[in-house]
Amino acid sequence: MTNTLDASDAPGEPIPGGPVTAADVPGLRRRTTAVLIASQILGGLGVPIGIALAPVLATRVSGSEALSGLAPTASVTGTALLSLPLAALMTSRGRRPGLVLAYLIGALGAGLVVLATVVESFPLLLLGMAGFGAGSSANLQARFAAADLAEPDRRGRAISTVIWATTIGSVLGPNIAAPAGRVFRGTAVSETAGPFVWAAGIFLLAALVVAALLRPDPLLTARALAPKESRPAGGRSLRAGVAAVRASPMARLALVTVTVSHTAMVSIMVMTPVDLGHHGADLQLIGLVISGHIAGMYAFSPVMGWLADRFGRLTVIGLAAGLLALAALLAGTAGAAHGRTAAGLFVLGLGWSAGLVAGSALLTDSVPQAARAAVQGLSDLAMNASAGIGGAVAGVIVAQAGYGWLNLTGACLLLPMAALTLRRTLARPATA
């Protein structure tokens, strides 16, 4: 019997054109990918503004460089705290309402950041950055939405295609920060905070695109088309997600991979603008370095997806560990050599891309379909909570010991990931 998606399978989700059958999946897959690409381009314009300017705003509002890491940390923490509620919403209602809500919260957070700079309130700035982190939540969860309808041997490429789409907005985002800020010259909104007004509008537009066009929902469609026996009652709860990860060594490795890759990247990246400022870099140069870093994160993700599908997830996870270690070496020993710092940040982005694409594909491969949304939410919680802690500690390390020691610490974080990858490679060399 051919599985179909009807209103009973997708509560509250109207299905245009009648039931969806397996024969409709290729066309629906293309449509879903196109919508996700559009939303990722928009989200990519907004999120990097916070990456580039949050430490600078935190220093100015708080008056302390030691607290500069708390603003990006608040953003990452907000991303982490929202991961489970968004996962729960997606589990029960599908990808579309979760992504829309995340972008709306991100827009509200950006508005609070602007208000915080006007009234010079550091706690309000942190609250706004926490809400702003919801934009990152949406961008991260979109990669799993791309995998919902993907064929198993093409999941790496499906995930990487959506990640790649962020390149356009993410490379442009930091470089429009300065002109976007100049629009507010002479007003109560500072030039550094002005780009967050732009980010709020971009997040609202992304929410509109997803709300209007991501229909039918890819997650609900995938569930409805799955065999009935693969949809056990209770299999979608967070507890079932935790149980699925505990039952699979590969899922545990995938969770470690995305967590460590993201934590090492965020910890080094958030303090790079501060270190560049110490060595005479202006806002424009900082924007260029961050743009190069983001290009490394996103522009080559299709290559990482192809490598993960062609040579196996474990091979690319090993590549991620090597690239991240090289990045820490380059950036940590750069000093006033801005070109070397830029090279280190570019390689840091490549390592993050390899780890996120291969780890996300391996995680999706390693758990039952019914538990995937819960496991994916758990993954984003773990990676962003760890990165939030890393970002907070990074500011203290730089203030007390220096940027070089921060990079050394980031390199040390890679050891568990490398060890587990080697162990699984030796245990299952032919099935990675």
Side-chain angles (χ1 to χ4, degrees):
M1 179 180 296
T2 302
N3 291 318
T4 62
L5 176 64
D6 55 31
S8 64
D9 290 308
E13 181 73 23
I15 308 302
V20 176
T21 67
D24 300 320
V25 170
L28 180 56
R29 185 185 299 131
R30 290 190 294 270
R31 173 186 169 87
T32 297
T33 300
V35 174
L36 292 173
I37 286 174
S39 68
Q40 287 293 91
I41 291 173
L42 293 170
L45 282 169
V47 170
I49 288 174
I51 293 174
L53 298 180
V56 180
L57 277 179
T59 300
R60 292 183 180 179
V61 174
S62 70
S64 172
E65 188 175 283
L67 298 177
S68 61
L70 290 183
T73 297
S75 178
V76 175
T77 301
T79 304
L81 292 176
L82 286 165
S83 296
L84 290 184
L86 289 174
L89 178 60
M90 291 182 189
T91 295
S92 62
R93 306 296 293 180
R95 301 289 186 191
R96 186 171 61 89
L99 293 176
V100 169
L101 179 61
Y103 281 127
L104 292 177
I105 295 174
L108 176 62
L112 290 178
V113 169
V114 176
L115 178 60
T117 62
V118 173
V119 301
E120 297 185 351
S121 171
F122 188 62
L124 185 60
L125 175 68
L126 296 182
L127 178 62
M129 287 305 304
F132 187 83
S136 294
S137 293
N139 282 5
L140 289 171
Q141 282 291 325
R143 76 192 193 275
F144 291 125
D148 287 334
L149 296 173
E151 297 166 327
D153 61 349
R154 296 185 63 88
R155 282 191 184 124
R157 277 164 280 190
I159 290 170
S160 65
T161 297
V162 171
I163 293 175
W164 170 85
T166 314
T167 307
I168 300 172
S170 295
V171 172
L172 292 176
N175 290 293
I176 64 172
R182 284 195 292 269
V183 173
F184 295 90
R185 185 174 294 172
T187 71
V189 178
S190 69
E191 290 188 42
T192 310
F196 282 88
V197 178
W198 164 270
I202 288 297
F203 286 156
L204 289 174
L205 182 57
L208 179 62
V209 168
V210 172
L213 300 178
L214 194 64
R215 298 169 180 267
D217 191 279
L219 177 60
L220 299 180
T221 301
R223 283 181 182 162
L225 294 176
K228 293 291 185 181
E229 60 270 16
S230 70
R231 293 181 270 166
R236 301 172 188 174
S237 67
L238 177 60
R239 181 177 298 179
V242 173
V245 171
R246 292 180 62 183
S248 170
M250 285 299 189
R252 294 197 296 271
L253 170 58
L255 193 61
V256 169
T257 296
V258 296
T259 299
V260 170
S261 298
H262 194 58
T263 302
M265 183 277 289
V266 169
S267 300
I268 295 171
M269 177 269 297
V270 296
M271 296 310 299
T272 299
V274 175
D275 184 68
L276 287 169
H278 286 164
H279 293 99
D282 58 14
L283 184 59
Q284 184 174 3
L285 178 57
I286 291 173
L288 288 173
V289 171
I290 296 299
S291 290
H293 166 66
I294 295 172
M297 290 173 65
Y298 299 118
F300 296 91
S301 57
V303 176
M304 302 303 177
W306 178 82
L307 290 173
D309 288 340
R310 176 65 178 82
F311 297 103
R313 319 307 193 205
L314 297 183
T315 300
V316 179
I317 291 174
L319 174 64
L323 288 171
L324 291 168
L326 175 60
L329 175 64
L330 290 172
T333 59
H338 298 324
R340 187 165 184 169
T341 300
L345 265 289
F346 176 74
V347 176
L348 184 71
L350 288 178
W352 175 88
S353 179
L356 188 73
V357 170
S360 298
L362 181 61
L363 187 68
T364 304
D365 293 342
S366 303
V367 297
Q369 200 283 334
R372 281 176 189 163
V375 170
Q376 290 158 355
L378 180 65
S379 168
D380 281 357
L381 170 64
M383 65 186 277
N384 287 292
S386 297
I389 295 171
V393 174
V396 177
I397 292 176
V398 170
Q400 299 297 321
Y403 184 67
W405 282 98
L406 172 63
N407 281 270
L408 178 60
T409 303
C412 291
L413 292 176
L414 302 171
L415 294 176
M417 169 179 151
L420 285 173
T421 303
L422 179 61
R423 178 180 178 183
R424 298 312 310 169
T425 299
L426 293 175
R428 297 180 61 186
T431 59

